[in-house]
Amino acid sequence: MAIQFKVAGRKVEASTGGYEFDPAKPGLILIHGAGMDHSVWSTIARYFANHGRAVLVPDLPGHGGSEGPPLPSIPAMADWVLALADEARLTQLALAGHSMGALIALEAAGKAPDRVATLVLLGAAARMPVHPDLLAAARAGDHRAIDMIVSWAHGPVGSIGGQRAPGLWTLGGGVRVLERGPKGALANDLAACDAYQGAAVAAAKVRCPTLLVLGSDDRMTPIKAAIPLKEAMPQAKQIVLPETGHMMITERANETIAAMRTVIG
Protein backbone atom coordinates (compact mmCIF):
# COMPACT_ATOMS: atom_id res chain seq x y z
CA MET A 1 0.00 0.00 0.00
CA ALA A 2 1.36 3.41 -0.98
CA ILE A 3 0.44 6.92 0.10
CA GLN A 4 1.28 10.28 -1.40
CA PHE A 5 2.27 13.59 0.18
CA LYS A 6 3.57 16.93 -1.01
CA VAL A 7 6.88 18.22 0.34
CA ALA A 8 8.17 21.55 -0.99
CA GLY A 9 5.51 21.35 -3.68
CA ARG A 10 6.69 18.02 -5.09
CA LYS A 11 4.95 14.65 -4.96
CA VAL A 12 6.29 12.11 -2.47
CA GLU A 13 5.37 8.46 -2.71
CA ALA A 14 5.77 6.29 0.38
CA SER A 15 4.98 2.71 1.29
CA THR A 16 3.01 2.12 4.47
CA GLY A 17 4.02 -1.50 4.96
CA GLY A 18 0.72 -2.83 3.63
CA TYR A 19 -1.46 -1.16 6.28
CA GLU A 20 -3.58 1.96 6.27
CA PHE A 21 -1.52 4.87 7.55
CA ASP A 22 -2.72 6.22 10.91
CA PRO A 23 -0.67 9.17 12.26
CA ALA A 24 -2.21 8.67 15.70
CA LYS A 25 0.02 5.60 16.08
CA PRO A 26 3.71 5.88 16.96
CA GLY A 27 5.49 6.81 13.76
CA LEU A 28 8.39 5.03 12.09
CA ILE A 29 10.14 6.39 9.01
CA LEU A 30 12.50 3.97 7.21
CA ILE A 31 15.07 5.65 4.94
CA HIS A 32 16.72 3.87 2.01
CA GLY A 33 20.32 4.03 0.85
CA ALA A 34 22.09 5.41 -2.21
CA GLY A 35 20.35 4.88 -5.55
CA MET A 36 17.67 2.67 -4.01
CA ASP A 37 13.98 3.02 -3.15
CA HIS A 38 11.39 1.93 -0.59
CA SER A 39 11.33 -1.68 -1.78
CA VAL A 40 14.51 -2.64 0.12
CA TRP A 41 12.58 -2.20 3.38
CA SER A 42 9.58 -4.36 2.37
CA THR A 43 9.85 -7.16 4.95
CA ILE A 44 10.79 -4.86 7.81
CA ALA A 45 8.10 -2.31 6.95
CA ARG A 46 5.40 -4.97 6.92
CA TYR A 47 6.49 -6.29 10.30
CA PHE A 48 6.36 -2.96 12.12
CA ALA A 49 3.16 -1.86 10.36
CA ASN A 50 1.60 -5.12 11.58
CA HIS A 51 2.78 -4.40 15.11
CA GLY A 52 1.22 -1.03 15.83
CA ARG A 53 3.46 1.44 14.03
CA ALA A 54 2.47 4.14 11.53
CA VAL A 55 5.15 3.20 9.00
CA LEU A 56 6.33 5.42 6.17
CA VAL A 57 8.98 4.24 3.71
CA PRO A 58 9.43 7.16 1.33
CA ASP A 59 11.19 7.21 -1.96
CA LEU A 60 13.63 10.09 -1.54
CA PRO A 61 13.21 12.96 -4.05
CA GLY A 62 14.19 11.83 -7.54
CA HIS A 63 13.96 8.15 -6.59
CA GLY A 64 11.20 5.60 -7.20
CA GLY A 65 7.82 7.30 -7.37
CA SER A 66 8.84 10.62 -5.82
CA GLU A 67 9.38 13.68 -7.96
CA GLY A 68 12.90 14.99 -8.30
CA PRO A 69 15.44 16.29 -8.53
CA PRO A 70 17.56 14.31 -6.04
CA LEU A 71 18.72 16.42 -3.11
CA PRO A 72 22.42 17.30 -3.24
CA SER A 73 23.52 16.80 0.37
CA ILE A 74 22.86 14.76 3.51
CA PRO A 75 21.72 17.85 5.51
CA ALA A 76 19.22 18.73 2.74
CA MET A 77 17.89 15.15 2.80
CA ALA A 78 17.56 15.31 6.61
CA ASP A 79 15.56 18.55 6.36
CA TRP A 80 13.34 16.85 3.79
CA VAL A 81 12.67 13.87 6.11
CA LEU A 82 11.65 16.19 8.94
CA ALA A 83 9.39 18.10 6.54
CA LEU A 84 7.81 14.81 5.48
CA ALA A 85 7.15 13.95 9.14
CA ASP A 86 5.39 17.32 9.45
CA GLU A 87 3.25 16.66 6.37
CA ALA A 88 2.37 13.22 7.72
CA ARG A 89 1.49 14.71 11.13
CA LEU A 90 3.73 12.26 12.94
CA THR A 91 4.38 13.32 16.52
CA GLN A 92 5.97 10.24 18.10
CA LEU A 93 8.79 9.69 15.68
CA ALA A 94 11.29 6.87 15.29
CA LEU A 95 13.83 7.07 12.47
CA ALA A 96 15.71 4.14 10.97
CA GLY A 97 18.12 4.50 8.08
CA HIS A 98 20.30 2.13 6.12
CA SER A 99 23.70 3.18 4.73
CA MET A 100 23.17 6.67 3.25
CA GLY A 101 19.79 6.54 4.98
CA ALA A 102 21.63 6.12 8.30
CA LEU A 103 23.50 9.37 7.70
CA ILE A 104 20.20 11.09 6.87
CA ALA A 105 18.49 9.73 9.99
CA LEU A 106 21.46 10.72 12.17
CA GLU A 107 21.58 14.24 10.74
CA ALA A 108 17.81 14.62 11.25
CA ALA A 109 18.05 13.43 14.86
CA GLY A 110 20.85 15.94 15.44
CA LYS A 111 18.75 18.73 13.95
CA ALA A 112 15.62 17.83 15.97
CA PRO A 113 16.78 16.07 19.15
CA ASP A 114 13.53 16.84 21.00
CA ARG A 115 11.42 15.37 18.24
CA VAL A 116 13.10 12.06 17.39
CA ALA A 117 12.21 9.51 20.07
CA THR A 118 14.21 6.55 18.77
CA LEU A 119 17.05 6.21 16.27
CA VAL A 120 18.29 3.08 14.48
CA LEU A 121 21.37 3.26 12.24
CA LEU A 122 22.01 0.23 10.04
CA GLY A 123 25.18 -0.26 8.03
CA ALA A 124 26.37 3.04 9.47
CA ALA A 125 29.76 4.74 9.63
CA ALA A 126 31.05 8.13 10.71
CA ARG A 127 32.43 8.68 7.22
CA MET A 128 31.35 7.05 3.96
CA PRO A 129 34.07 7.92 1.44
CA VAL A 130 33.36 6.59 -2.04
CA HIS A 131 36.13 5.08 -4.16
CA PRO A 132 36.92 7.40 -7.11
CA ASP A 133 36.46 4.56 -9.61
CA LEU A 134 32.98 3.85 -8.28
CA LEU A 135 32.00 7.51 -8.30
CA ALA A 136 33.32 7.94 -11.85
CA ALA A 137 31.43 4.88 -13.08
CA ALA A 138 28.20 6.08 -11.46
CA ARG A 139 28.56 9.53 -13.01
CA ALA A 140 29.14 7.94 -16.43
CA GLY A 141 26.10 5.69 -16.08
CA ASP A 142 28.43 2.71 -16.38
CA HIS A 143 26.79 -0.53 -15.21
CA ARG A 144 30.04 -1.43 -13.49
CA ALA A 145 29.01 0.96 -10.71
CA ILE A 146 26.00 -1.24 -9.95
CA ASP A 147 28.12 -4.38 -10.23
CA MET A 148 30.67 -3.02 -7.77
CA ILE A 149 28.07 -1.95 -5.22
CA VAL A 150 26.14 -5.19 -5.31
CA SER A 151 29.30 -7.27 -5.08
CA TRP A 152 30.72 -5.32 -2.15
CA ALA A 153 27.41 -4.91 -0.32
CA HIS A 154 26.40 -8.53 0.08
CA GLY A 155 27.76 -11.01 2.55
CA PRO A 156 27.72 -14.82 2.50
CA VAL A 157 23.93 -15.22 2.52
CA GLY A 158 23.37 -12.76 -0.30
CA SER A 159 26.10 -14.34 -2.39
CA ILE A 160 25.33 -18.03 -2.07
CA GLY A 161 21.67 -18.20 -1.01
CA GLY A 162 20.21 -19.47 2.23
CA GLN A 163 17.17 -17.19 2.31
CA ARG A 164 14.19 -18.39 4.32
CA ALA A 165 11.82 -17.14 1.62
CA PRO A 166 11.94 -19.67 -1.25
CA GLY A 167 13.13 -18.21 -4.55
CA LEU A 168 14.41 -14.96 -3.08
CA TRP A 169 17.75 -13.90 -4.59
CA THR A 170 18.93 -10.82 -2.77
CA LEU A 171 21.98 -10.20 -4.95
CA GLY A 172 19.90 -10.19 -8.15
CA GLY A 173 17.25 -8.10 -6.42
CA GLY A 174 19.87 -5.52 -5.52
CA VAL A 175 20.93 -5.26 -9.15
CA ARG A 176 17.36 -4.65 -10.29
CA VAL A 177 16.69 -1.97 -7.65
CA LEU A 178 19.73 0.01 -8.76
CA GLU A 179 19.05 -0.56 -12.49
CA ARG A 180 15.56 0.92 -12.28
CA GLY A 181 16.74 4.01 -10.40
CA PRO A 182 16.39 7.32 -12.27
CA LYS A 183 19.39 8.51 -14.25
CA GLY A 184 21.87 10.35 -12.07
CA ALA A 185 20.32 9.39 -8.72
CA LEU A 186 23.05 6.92 -7.76
CA ALA A 187 25.87 9.32 -8.64
CA ASN A 188 24.13 12.14 -6.75
CA ASP A 189 23.78 10.00 -3.63
CA LEU A 190 27.32 8.64 -3.70
CA ALA A 191 28.68 12.17 -4.01
CA ALA A 192 26.53 13.26 -1.05
CA CYS A 193 27.88 10.40 1.07
CA ASP A 194 31.46 11.15 0.03
CA ALA A 195 31.13 14.85 0.93
CA TYR A 196 29.35 14.47 4.27
CA GLN A 197 31.55 15.10 7.32
CA GLY A 198 28.94 15.99 9.93
CA ALA A 199 28.20 12.59 11.47
CA ALA A 200 30.22 13.00 14.65
CA VAL A 201 28.79 16.49 15.27
CA ALA A 202 25.23 15.27 14.69
CA ALA A 203 25.79 12.22 16.90
CA ALA A 204 26.87 14.42 19.80
CA LYS A 205 23.45 16.16 19.65
CA VAL A 206 21.37 12.97 19.74
CA ARG A 207 19.48 12.45 23.00
CA CYS A 208 17.17 9.54 22.23
CA PRO A 209 17.71 5.77 22.61
CA THR A 210 19.90 4.74 19.69
CA LEU A 211 20.87 1.41 18.16
CA LEU A 212 23.65 0.62 15.71
CA VAL A 213 23.05 -2.53 13.64
CA LEU A 214 26.22 -3.68 11.92
CA GLY A 215 27.18 -6.64 9.73
CA SER A 216 30.19 -8.75 10.73
CA ASP A 217 31.21 -9.11 7.07
CA ASP A 218 30.30 -5.59 5.91
CA ARG A 219 32.97 -4.42 3.43
CA MET A 220 31.36 -1.05 2.70
CA THR A 221 30.90 0.18 6.27
CA PRO A 222 33.07 -2.13 8.39
CA ILE A 223 32.48 -2.30 12.13
CA LYS A 224 35.54 -0.20 12.94
CA ALA A 225 34.13 2.68 10.87
CA ALA A 226 31.25 3.03 13.35
CA ILE A 227 33.52 3.46 16.39
CA PRO A 228 33.45 7.31 16.26
CA LEU A 229 29.65 7.19 16.27
CA LYS A 230 29.60 4.93 19.30
CA GLU A 231 32.06 7.20 21.08
CA ALA A 232 29.92 10.26 20.33
CA MET A 233 26.78 8.49 21.54
CA PRO A 234 27.68 6.65 24.76
CA GLN A 235 24.00 5.85 25.25
CA ALA A 236 23.87 3.90 21.98
CA LYS A 237 23.57 0.13 21.86
CA GLN A 238 25.33 -1.92 19.20
CA ILE A 239 24.29 -5.25 17.70
CA VAL A 240 26.54 -7.07 15.22
CA LEU A 241 24.79 -9.59 12.97
CA PRO A 242 27.06 -12.57 12.20
CA GLU A 243 27.80 -13.67 8.62
CA THR A 244 26.12 -10.51 7.36
CA GLY A 245 27.21 -7.93 4.82
CA HIS A 246 26.13 -4.33 4.23
CA MET A 247 22.64 -5.23 2.99
CA MET A 248 21.37 -6.68 6.27
CA ILE A 249 17.87 -5.32 5.62
CA THR A 250 17.45 -7.73 2.70
CA GLU A 251 20.03 -10.41 3.52
CA ARG A 252 19.02 -10.83 7.16
CA ALA A 253 15.60 -9.21 7.39
CA ASN A 254 14.34 -11.38 10.26
CA GLU A 255 17.50 -10.91 12.31
CA THR A 256 17.41 -7.17 11.57
CA ILE A 257 13.81 -7.00 12.81
CA ALA A 258 14.80 -8.79 16.02
CA ALA A 259 17.61 -6.28 16.55
CA MET A 260 15.35 -3.29 15.87
CA ARG A 261 12.74 -4.61 18.30
CA THR A 262 15.20 -4.05 21.15
CA VAL A 263 14.55 -0.30 20.83
CA ILE A 264 11.34 -0.09 18.76
CA GLY A 265 8.44 -1.76 20.51
Side-chain angles (χ1 to χ4, degrees):
M1 180 178 293
I3 190 170
Q4 293 186 355
F5 298 92
K6 287 276 189 180
V7 173
R10 296 184 183 277
K11 184 192 77 172
V12 177
E13 191 161 294
S15 167
T16 62
Y19 285 75
E20 186 172 349
F21 181 72
D22 180 1
K25 296 179 179 178
L28 171 61
I29 296 181
L30 305 171
I31 308 168
H32 65 74
M36 299 189 175
D37 59 34
H38 71 275
S39 64
V40 294
W41 285 103
S42 295
T43 303
I44 295 169
R46 289 187 66 84
Y47 176 86
F48 283 105
N50 190 40
H51 288 77
R53 285 277 171 173
V55 172
L56 281 183
V57 197
D59 292 330
L60 292 169
H63 299 66
S66 293
E67 292 179 345
L71 299 173
S73 71
I74 299 299
M77 297 178 200
D79 288 338
W80 183 88
V81 167
L82 293 173
L84 174 63
D86 288 339
E87 290 294 327
R89 295 181 289 115
L90 290 173
T91 55
Q92 303 177 61
L93 182 60
L95 293 180
H98 171 251
S99 193
M100 181 185 76
L103 296 181
I104 299 169
L106 175 62
E107 179 72 15
K111 286 175 176 282
D114 294 329
R115 185 165 180 199
V116 179
T118 310
L119 179 64
V120 182
L121 308 175
L122 305 103
R127 289 277 290 118
M128 293 189 187
V130 178
H131 193 283
D133 291 346
L134 173 57
L135 193 52
R139 284 172 169 157
D142 189 330
H143 198 280
R144 285 179 294 180
I146 293 174
D147 296 337
M148 284 187 271
I149 290 173
V150 171
S151 173
W152 295 340
H154 289 83
V157 171
S159 299
I160 63 174
Q163 287 289 327
R164 294 179 183 178
L168 185 61
W169 183 31
T170 55
L171 199 148
V175 171
R176 288 296 301 127
V177 168
L178 291 169
E179 284 180 338
R180 69 175 179 242
K183 183 179 180 181
L186 178 60
N188 173 86
D189 295 351
L190 293 177
C193 290
D194 189 63
Y196 182 63
Q197 300 186 34
V201 173
K205 299 176 183 175
V206 172
R207 300 175 189 168
C208 62
T210 300
L211 172 67
L212 297 170
V213 183
L214 308 173
S216 65
D217 298 339
D218 189 338
R219 291 178 288 174
M220 299 189 78
T221 52
I223 294 172
K224 64 181 181 182
I227 291 175
L229 296 180
K230 192 72 170 59
E231 291 176 344
M233 298 183 291
Q235 81 281 14
K237 295 170 54 179
Q238 176 177 300
I239 295 177
V240 177
L241 302 180
E243 298 185 44
T244 303
H246 189 61
M247 290 301 298
M248 66 277 292
I249 60 175
T250 53
E251 281 187 310
R252 296 283 195 182
N254 291 327
E255 291 81 359
T256 300
I257 289 169
M260 293 176 68
R261 285 183 57 197
T262 64
V263 292
I264 300 175

